[in-house]
Amino acid sequence: DPNIVKNHAFYTESLAKFDTLWPISETAGVETRKLLAGQGFEVNPVCLPATMSSDGKESNRKNSHPGNGSKELLYVSTLDPRKNHFRLLLACESLWSEGESFTLRLIGGKGWRNEGLLRFVDELKAKGRSLIFEDRFIPDEEVNERILSAWFSVFVSEVEGFGLPIAESLRLGCPVICSSLGSMQEIADACGGCLMVDPYDVSELTNVMRRALASAELRDELIQSINVDALGSWDDYVARILEDQ
């Protein structure tokens, strides 16, 4: 896409005007150093907090799935190639074909280069699979309600600068099936509550999802292990940046 090439060049030229950069994860810091090697400025990663509120007024509500009845897997993400929806749908179709009973809910805009993916979504829905795709604008409050009632959140992207939906899910007490790569692994390692998976391996993803759907005990253990404070607060984040001044 010529526009992407043009915008990327403008982006890198803009970055080169700064003395210090604070990428939002260690992974983003590594990639930034590669991108702008030899430019002569400092790159000091400061990981974002997993808390979304800067005033300390976080919601005390936590995921409240009753542990019986219909189980919903939730993926909040724009539909574009790096978000890896196609492999996720292949894994889900394998499980549905085995007779597993669950719903996959996709929330996010249609993104780009996704014509084949959207056709696959329509094919699965035509087969009667329990698949919901919400591409409308959804307020944060409604997204939070979806997270609060989900069995697991899913975030199996191929690459991210941070992985905000993982942090948002953990903050609300919802365990996550996430990629074992880059910044997503950073969040999972620090905060717990996650089952990590190679996002390129459909068989592994299928097996991990099967485990997640089958075991309420596993789910409870993951929920108990969540510690979103491990990534610090917004006060910690600001203090780290001010230290570099």
Side-chain angles (χ1 to χ4, degrees), residues 101-219:
S101 178
F102 68 95
T103 296
L104 175 66
R105 184 184 297 272
L106 306 176
I107 294 179
K110 289 184 177 179
W112 63 296
R113 291 187 180 179
N114 53 25
E115 295 80 6
L117 175 62
L118 292 172
R119 285 195 298 270
F120 192 25
V121 168
D122 289 339
E123 290 170 8
L124 291 173
K125 292 170 71 174
K127 290 176 69 173
R129 302 311 192 194
S130 187
L131 171 59
I132 301 169
F133 174 34
E134 298 186 81
D135 64 342
R136 61 186 175 87
F137 170 75
I138 300 179
D140 289 345
E141 294 77 10
E142 188 174 341
V143 174
N144 287 345
E145 290 298 324
R146 297 298 190 195
I147 295 172
L148 286 164
S149 62
W151 183 252
F152 267 79
S153 179
V154 180
F155 197 75
V156 289
S157 178
E158 296 174 4
V159 61
E160 292 292 324
F162 183 64
L164 189 58
I166 301 175
E168 290 176 327
S169 295
L170 295 176
R171 174 179 61 92
L172 293 173
C174 182
V176 183
I177 299 169
C178 72
S179 297
S180 59
L181 302 176
S183 59
M184 295 165 283
Q185 181 179 359
E186 289 180 44
I187 298 173
D189 284 343
C191 297
C194 297
L195 293 176
M196 287 187 281
V197 60
D198 180 348
Y200 298 103
D201 189 332
V202 175
S203 178
E204 182 180 337
L205 178 55
T206 304
N207 290 333
V208 168
M209 290 170 61
R210 186 185 293 109
R211 286 179 57 213
L213 289 166
S215 178
E217 181 179 359
L218 171 61
R219 182 176 182 273

Side-chain angles (χ1 to χ4, degrees), residues 23-32 45 159-161 181-184 186:
I24 58 177
S25 67
E26 292 294 335
T27 300
V30 170
E31 296 302 319
T32 302
V159 61
E160 292 292 324
L181 302 176
S183 59
M184 295 165 283
E186 289 180 44

